[in-house]
Amino acid sequence: MNYAARINYSIDNIERSIVADTEVGTKYSEAGKKKLYREKEKLVNKFPALKKLLDIRTVHKFPIKGVEHFGRIGFLPGKLVISDDRIKDMCRNQFWTAFLTIKKKGANRFTRCPGLEKRSSCPYFTPPAAKVREKLDMADIFIALQTKLFNETKDVQWEFQTINKLREEVEKILGKNAIIQQFGAGPCQACYPEPCLEDGKCRNPKKMAPALEAMGVPVGQLCRDMALVTGDKAWEITWIKHFGLPNMTPKKWKVVFGLSVKLPKKSIPR
C-alpha cells in the first residue's frame, strides 16, 4: 500500500504511516510474521501451565470482579512488536476533550492529553523507544490481553487488577525474572486510590503499567498482528472519534494490556 497517497491525518492513518516507516514494519511480510509466530508457539508448548494460562477461560477464573470483561488473550513474538518515539509524540495531538473540565458540564476544551509530561507513566517520563526495543528484543513473547467492547468510565479497577494478577501467575510458572516489562492502557492506576506522585516519581515501580502508546507501541498494528497470527479478527480495533463527548463514535471501546516475557531455556514439567 502506498501510504504517501493517503491524504488525511486521521489517527489511524498517522499510526499506519509510522508503522510503514519502521524497521520492523518493513522487515517482516505476513508470511514471515506467521513463521516467526509458529516458532515461538513451539516454545510456548513446552510450558503446559503457561499454555493453559494463555486461555481466556483461565483468565476468567481470576478472583476479580469484572474480569469477565476481558475477551481474548494471546501472544506475539517480541520482535514483531514495534516501539517508535513518534507514537509517543501523538500524545501531543490536540483534540476536543472533556477530561480537564469534568466539573464544568459542557465546558469542553481543545487540547493535548492531560497526562502528558505530568503523570509518571506518561511521555516523556517513559523510556525512549530504543530502550523499549531492547526490552522487546529480550523477550521471547509478548502476551496481549484485550477486553470485550464496553463503555464503563468509572470503577474499572478490574483492568489493572487483572494484568497484575496475570503478571503474578506468569512469574509463578516461569520464575521471578520472566517479566521484562508490563504495559497498560490509559493512565496507570497502580497507586489507586492514591493519585499519581507525578513528575517521574512512583510508589510502586513493580506494578507500574505505562500505556502501550506511552512506550511507543502502535496499538492498532499490535492488534492487526494479533488478528493475523491467531486468525481472530476480533482483535482488530476501531479508533474512536470525539471520546467522552456527546457525539462520540463508536460508543463502546476495547483496551489492550501487555507483558513482554522471557521464557526459560528449559521447559518446566506439569
Side-chain angles (χ1 to χ4, degrees):
M1 182 179 293
N2 181 8
Y3 289 92
R6 293 176 176 268
I7 59 174
N8 69 66
Y9 292 92
S10 69
I11 296 298
D12 183 41
N13 286 351
I14 293 172
E15 191 206 61
R16 287 175 185 265
S17 294
I18 292 172
V19 168
D21 191 43
T22 63
E23 182 178 357
V24 175
T26 56
K27 182 177 181 179
Y28 296 99
S29 64
E30 290 191 354
K33 291 178 179 181
K34 291 180 179 179
K35 181 176 182 294
L36 188 57
Y37 174 77
R38 289 192 295 270
E39 292 173 358
K40 295 301 181 182
E41 188 176 36
K42 291 180 181 178
L43 292 180
V44 171
N45 289 341
K46 294 181 180 181
F47 303 90
L50 176 62
K51 186 176 180 181
K52 182 179 179 181
L53 182 61
L54 297 178
D55 185 322
I56 197 61
R57 292 171 295 184
T58 302
V59 174
H60 286 166
K61 293 178 182 178
F62 290 173
I64 298 171
K65 183 180 180 180
V67 71
E68 67 277 3
H69 290 301
F70 279 96
R72 55 205 59 85
I73 187 172
F75 72 89
L76 282 176
K79 292 184 180 298
L80 293 186
V81 181
I82 294 169
S83 179
D84 193 289
D85 286 321
R86 289 171 292 182
I87 295 294
K88 296 163 65 174
D89 290 340
M90 289 174 70
C91 294
R92 290 185 177 277
N93 289 353
Q94 308 292 312
F95 63 105
W96 280 106
T97 177
F99 293 150
L100 298 181
T101 55
I102 193 167
K103 294 181 180 179
K104 298 179 181 179
K105 188 174 182 180
N108 305 314
R109 290 194 59 190
F110 187 69
T111 184
R112 65 185 190 178
C113 178
L116 182 68
E117 298 177 325
K118 184 177 181 181
R119 290 180 176 267
S120 298
S121 60
C122 291
Y124 291 91
F125 296 115
T126 51
K131 293 294 183 181
V132 178
R133 178 75 268 152
E134 291 176 5
K135 293 177 180 290
L136 293 169
D137 287 341
M138 287 172 60
D140 290 293
I141 62 172
F142 182 95
I143 297 175
L145 181 64
Q146 187 186 73
T147 65
K148 301 173 185 176
L149 289 168
F150 72 107
N151 60 0
E152 296 181 49
T153 57
K154 296 180 180 179
D155 194 24
V156 288
Q157 287 305 301
W158 50 268
E159 296 178 359
F160 278 81
Q161 290 169 358
T162 301
I163 192 63
N164 279 307
K165 175 65 173 174
L166 181 64
R167 186 197 72 245
E168 292 170 359
E169 293 301 313
V170 171
E171 289 177 337
K172 287 179 184 178
I173 297 169
L174 303 179
K176 291 292 185 180
N177 297 322
I179 303 299
I180 305 299
Q181 178 65 51
Q182 180 166 298
F183 299 80
C188 175
Q189 298 183 46
C191 296
Y192 182 86
E194 296 294 326
C196 179
L197 291 176
E198 300 181 349
D199 299 323
K201 304 180 184 70
C202 182
R203 295 184 184 87
N204 197 339
K206 175 71 173 179
K207 291 187 176 182
M208 179 189 275
L212 285 157
E213 297 94 334
M215 299 291 272
V217 178
V219 178
Q221 184 61 44
L222 173 69
C223 293
R224 286 191 293 274
D225 284 336
M226 286 299 306
L228 172 69
V229 300
T230 65
D232 183 0
K233 290 291 185 181
W235 275 102
E236 296 187 6
I237 62 173
T238 299
W239 293 100
I240 290 176
K241 297 180 180 179
H242 312 297
F243 186 82
L245 303 180
N247 58 336
M248 184 180 86
T249 55
K251 298 295 185 182
K252 293 186 177 182
W253 57 87
K254 297 181 287 188
V255 295
V256 184
F257 292 78
L259 295 171
S260 55
V261 178
K262 179 69 175 177
L263 299 175
K265 292 183 179 179
K266 295 183 179 180
S267 60
I268 299 173
R270 294 176 184 271

